[in-house]
Amino acid sequence: MSSSVPTLLVVSAHAGDFVWRAGGAIAAATQRGERAVIACLSYGERGESASQWLAGKGLDEIKAIRRGEAEAAASALGAEIEFLDLGDYPLIESPEAVAKLVDVFRRTQPDVVLTHPLLDPYNGDHPAAARMALQARVLAQAIGVANSDGSFPSKEDIIGAPPVFFFEPHQSEQCDFKPNVLLDITAAFPAKRAAMECLPAQKHMWTYYTDLAVRRGVQVKRNAAANLGLAHETMGEAYMRYYPQVTDVLR
């Protein structure tokens, strides 16, 4: 990768997804001095803003509200955020949308990518985001694939092969989510909680994802080496690694 600072790229279907699913990983990265960039494909303006519609607000106003909330949440996590405004319910996959994501990959040069799992029977926007993220990751590696403006990348613009991790969906069992990576987010959890509280329209999720972090924290402790000495109040997030890990040492 061209940057000397490790970069985490998060591809989020809606304005709140990155907070609930990956807020701990994002905050942990920025607390280590790394760069975190969130590519938000939609504002969740149609499918995840019911309270605003019921209050009589219009589409543009709702988009502005959700954008402000997402920007505040990203700031709480120490991350950058950009909005592709592709629309939701449904989030339509298209060559144009993928090309925009290719630009994001080349511009950010990620070392790690986080996105949604490929199965979610409750929300088709989530696997659509994942499919486009995976396609963009591959296309961004090809020097013969043009940028969205029609120009061709230089050798420095193309990316390597960053690992991809799927973050935990809202209903894990129904999405065939079987985590094989457990992340200790204990030190990062206060920032994640602060980011959650930037999303008042989904206040019902605050307790749910706090409780989930406690449960995943228990699993972190049970699967960690004994000499790590993890604290009783360990908090965690769960992930699935999509591509094989490459290593010269098994540990």
Side-chain angles (χ1 to χ4, degrees), residues 30-203:
T30 61
Q31 288 173 6
R32 291 192 299 269
E34 299 175 10
R35 182 187 183 202
V37 180
I38 301 154
C40 195
L41 304 191
S42 83
Y43 298 108
E45 64 269 17
R46 297 186 185 276
E48 299 189 350
S49 303
S51 62
Q52 304 297 341
W53 287 103
L54 292 171
K57 293 182 172 62
L59 180 61
D60 290 343
E61 187 178 5
I62 292 171
K63 282 187 176 183
I65 291 170
R66 294 308 307 272
R67 181 186 181 110
E69 291 175 352
E71 287 174 337
S75 178
L77 298 172
E80 304 166 37
I81 188 166
E82 55 184 278
F83 302 90
L84 277 66
D85 194 14
L86 300 177
D88 71 324
Y89 277 64
L91 172 62
I92 302 295
E93 298 172 67
S94 70
E96 294 76 17
V98 172
K100 289 181 179 180
L101 271 176
V102 169
D103 289 348
V104 173
F105 272 83
R106 287 175 173 167
R107 187 169 62 253
T108 59
Q109 294 286 310
D111 296 270
V112 178
V113 178
L114 307 182
T115 193
H116 301 265
L118 288 166
L119 176 64
D120 190 337
Y122 297 96
N123 194 320
D125 290 359
H126 296 158
R131 288 190 296 266
M132 287 193 286
L134 292 173
Q135 186 178 6
R137 173 189 174 276
V138 173
L139 296 180
Q141 298 175 54
I143 198 166
V145 173
N147 301 311
S148 64
D149 63 2
S151 65
F152 283 89
S154 68
K155 182 179 178 181
E156 290 71 31
D157 292 331
I158 60 174
I159 70 168
V164 176
F165 296 88
F166 298 144
F167 43 62
E168 185 163 10
H170 193 61
Q171 301 199 51
S172 305
E173 296 82 0
Q174 305 305 317
C175 300
D176 197 29
F177 183 84
K178 299 176 181 177
N180 53 22
V181 177
L182 295 168
L183 182 68
D184 182 354
I185 62 164
T186 306
F189 186 77
K192 177 173 182 174
R193 178 71 192 202
M196 289 196 287
E197 293 178 2
C198 294
L199 305 172
Q202 294 174 289
K203 189 173 182 178

Side-chain angles (χ1 to χ4, degrees), residues 218-229:
V218 171
Q219 295 169 359
V220 167
K221 289 185 292 183
R222 288 187 63 85
N223 287 277
N227 62 358
L228 290 183

